[in-house]
């Protein structure tokens, strides 16, 4: 399918105008020379209406569009206390006249007397924020499930009073949200064509899976040879790729496309997220410093720093061969550089 045909499918979906697209796309001259590859960067951190954009804005254009079509008043969503998705959802709600309600899990417990980064911005924006503390012995999956349960009870109370609520899952990872990165993949292909370059690799960080599902679905629709390599920022079990394929397939079905994915269509690596979500790694902090000092650009320690570290290791090991043309998708989140010290680790020690 040609990009113009995919765009015609996308036009069928309700969409809010939240982002500034296309986002910048250009070559990293210093690092290309240093690393021996042809490295371009796609600046999804420049996507949003505020200084604090990121990859979630593309998803939210379709999610908020759907919410408004359904007559929603309240938007509920989830994440960690420093969630980029939660912040971008609040920004989108404020622009579109909706009321944002957040249920956020404290993987790193915030100090209410010294709020930082995204949680501070959520409060400035006037979001209703519910911070969920982990109980002793409670797993990440259990506390996430408890957060959703509490939010749905809240939604039920509002619904009983005659209000319309709309639930956006963590990371915007729904079939509707995934549509945003089918759109995004088309944009990347068109930008690559405009600079006369054919790319072998598209590198990005993956958490809840919606961005990954959309990119791979877009690749499938266009029958494009570029490899989408996704570096996990949280531990995932064997069901992750099956669930991502199902997410992509439902999104494709909603667009009326016949293409379908399986788990084998995904290429992801779960070896670079440790010691855990919102826990810094030495390799990610080295990657943050490298990009900052070579190109004057900032990554974050939770998402893009770990994906960039994975890419650097692939280059070092020859998994990405010398001379390869590579795109790094900067998903935003540099506000995490102003988060709690537990998230930053040894970033300032070198």
């Amino acid at each position: 399918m040609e990009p113009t045909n995919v765009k015609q499918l996308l036009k069928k979906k309700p969409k809010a105008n939240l982002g500034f697209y296309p986002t910048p796309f250009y070559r990293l001259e210093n690092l290309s020379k240093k690393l021996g590859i042809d490295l371009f960067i796609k600046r999804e951190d420049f996507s949003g209406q505020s200084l604090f954009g990121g990859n979630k804005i593309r998803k939210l254009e379709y999610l908020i569009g759907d919410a408004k079509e359904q007559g929603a008043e309240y938007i509920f969503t989830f994440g960690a206390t420093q969630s980029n998705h939660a912040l971008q959802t609040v920004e989108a709600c404020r622009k579109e006249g909706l009321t944002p309600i957040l249920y956020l899990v404290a993987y790193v417990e915030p100090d209410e007397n010294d709020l930082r980064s995204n949680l501070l911005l959520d409060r400035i924006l006037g979001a209703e924020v519910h911070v969920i503390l982990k109980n002793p012995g409670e797993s990440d999956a259990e506390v996430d499930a408890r957060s959703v349960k509490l939010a749905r009870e809240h939604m039920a109370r509002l619904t009983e009073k005659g209000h319309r609520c709309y639930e956006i899952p963590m990371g915007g990872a729904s079939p509707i949200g995934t549509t945003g990165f089918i759109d995004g993949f088309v944009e990347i292909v068109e930008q690559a064509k405009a600079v006369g370059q054919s790319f072998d690799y598209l590198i990005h960080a993956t958490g809840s899976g919606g961005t990954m599902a959309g990119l791979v679905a877009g690749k499938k629709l266009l029958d494009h040879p570029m490899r989408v390599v996704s570096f996990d920022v949280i531990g995932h079990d064997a069901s992750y790729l099956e669930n991502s394929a199902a997410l992509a397939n439902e999104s494709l079905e909603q667009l009326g496309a016949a293409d379908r994915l399986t788990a084998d269509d995904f290429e992801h690596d779960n070896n670079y997220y440790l010691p855990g979500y919102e826990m810094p790694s030495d390799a990610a902090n080295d990657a943050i410093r490298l990009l900052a000092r070579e190109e004057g650009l900032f990554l974050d320690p939770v998402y893009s720093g770990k994906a960039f570290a994975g890419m650097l290791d692939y280059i070092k090991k020859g998994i990405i061969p010398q001379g390869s043309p590579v795109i790094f998708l900067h998903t935003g989140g540099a506000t995490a550089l102003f988060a709690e010290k537990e998230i930053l680790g040894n970033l300032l020690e070198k």
Side-chain angles (χ1 to χ4, degrees):
M1 190 177 291
E2 293 299 315
T4 51
N5 301 122
V6 179
K7 287 181 176 181
Q8 288 301 313
L9 293 178
L10 292 167
K11 284 181 179 178
K12 299 175 183 177
K13 306 293 289 183
K15 185 178 179 184
N17 183 21
L18 301 176
F20 299 101
Y21 299 111
T23 53
F25 176 76
Y26 58 92
R27 190 173 191 265
L28 297 178
E29 300 291 346
N30 297 333
L31 271 182
S32 290
K33 183 184 296 185
K34 188 179 186 74
L35 298 174
I37 65 170
D38 200 12
L39 181 60
F40 279 65
I41 192 164
K42 173 69 168 164
R43 298 292 302 273
E44 289 298 283
D45 56 322
F46 276 14
S47 64
Q49 62 204 17
S50 79
L51 291 171
F52 313 111
N55 63 312
K56 308 304 183 184
I57 298 294
R58 283 190 195 273
K59 300 177 186 181
L60 286 162
E61 288 200 319
Y62 290 93
L63 288 161
I64 296 298
D66 185 57
K68 291 187 72 174
E69 187 172 77
Q70 295 187 31
E73 302 167 69
Y74 293 89
I75 303 294
F76 282 74
T77 199
F78 313 91
T81 49
Q82 292 297 353
S83 167
N84 300 315
H85 161 71
L87 171 62
Q88 290 166 42
T89 299
V90 176
E91 292 173 350
C93 286
R94 289 309 183 208
K95 181 176 185 294
E96 297 297 318
L98 303 169
T99 301
I101 301 178
L102 307 179
Y103 276 76
L104 305 179
V105 173
Y107 296 105
V108 175
E109 188 170 346
D111 180 351
E112 288 292 332
N113 296 313
D114 185 23
L115 293 179
R116 301 187 176 206
S117 189
N118 290 340
L119 187 56
L120 171 66
L121 297 171
D122 293 334
R123 294 285 175 79
I124 292 172
L125 286 160
E128 182 178 328
V129 180
H130 300 264
V131 175
I132 312 302
L133 302 178
K134 289 184 74 173
N135 293 324
E138 192 173 32
S139 70
D140 289 351
E142 288 169 342
V143 70
D144 288 344
R146 182 161 59 87
S147 176
V148 172
K149 180 176 181 292
L150 290 169
R152 288 177 177 169
E153 290 170 353
H154 190 166
M155 283 187 271
R157 292 192 297 271
L158 287 170
T159 301
E160 286 176 3
K161 294 178 181 178
H163 299 291
R164 293 198 175 201
C165 301
Y166 189 91
E167 179 181 330
I168 296 177
M170 189 179 296
S174 74
I176 292 169
T178 293
T179 304
F181 271 92
I182 296 176
D183 195 343
F185 190 84
V186 172
E187 183 176 297
I188 290 168
V189 168
E190 290 182 330
Q191 287 178 309
K193 183 178 180 180
V195 299
Q197 178 68 277
S198 177
F199 290 91
D200 293 342
Y201 299 91
L202 172 60
I203 308 293
H204 76 108
T206 182
S208 53
T211 298
M212 178 177 71
L215 291 170
V216 178
K219 168 183 161 67
K220 186 77 169 182
L221 277 175
L222 296 179
D223 192 24
H224 201 279
M226 180 166 51
R227 291 169 63 182
V228 177
V229 182
S230 311
F231 287 98
D232 296 31
V233 300
I234 192 168
H236 291 122
D237 62 24
S239 67
Y240 182 57
L241 296 186
E242 293 289 349
N243 293 338
S244 297
L247 187 63
N249 287 337
E250 191 170 345
S251 186
L252 290 168
E253 185 177 357
Q254 289 180 1
L255 287 176
D259 300 81
R260 294 295 181 267
L261 303 176
T262 71
D264 292 338
D265 289 302
F266 294 85
E267 186 174 352
H268 85 123
D269 195 315
N270 205 27
N271 292 310
Y272 296 90
Y273 78 92
L274 292 171
Y277 183 72
E278 283 197 344
M279 297 179 186
S281 73
D282 290 347
N285 282 348
D286 286 344
I288 292 168
R289 286 187 289 263
L290 176 67
L291 185 61
R293 295 172 188 182
E294 292 292 335
E295 299 285 354
L297 303 179
F298 295 106
L299 300 170
D300 78 284
V302 182
Y303 290 91
S304 57
K306 290 186 176 180
F308 206 87
M311 180 189 72
L312 292 174
D313 197 44
Y314 271 34
I315 295 166
K316 180 181 177 181
K317 292 176 176 176
I319 300 171
I320 294 177
Q322 288 290 288
S324 296
V326 178
I327 301 168
F328 181 79
L329 183 70
H330 191 322
T331 49
T335 47
L337 295 171
F338 304 98
E340 294 84 2
K341 62 183 180 180
E342 293 90 342
I343 293 175
L344 298 180
N346 68 352
L347 191 54
L348 296 178
E349 292 179 10
K350 294 182 183 179

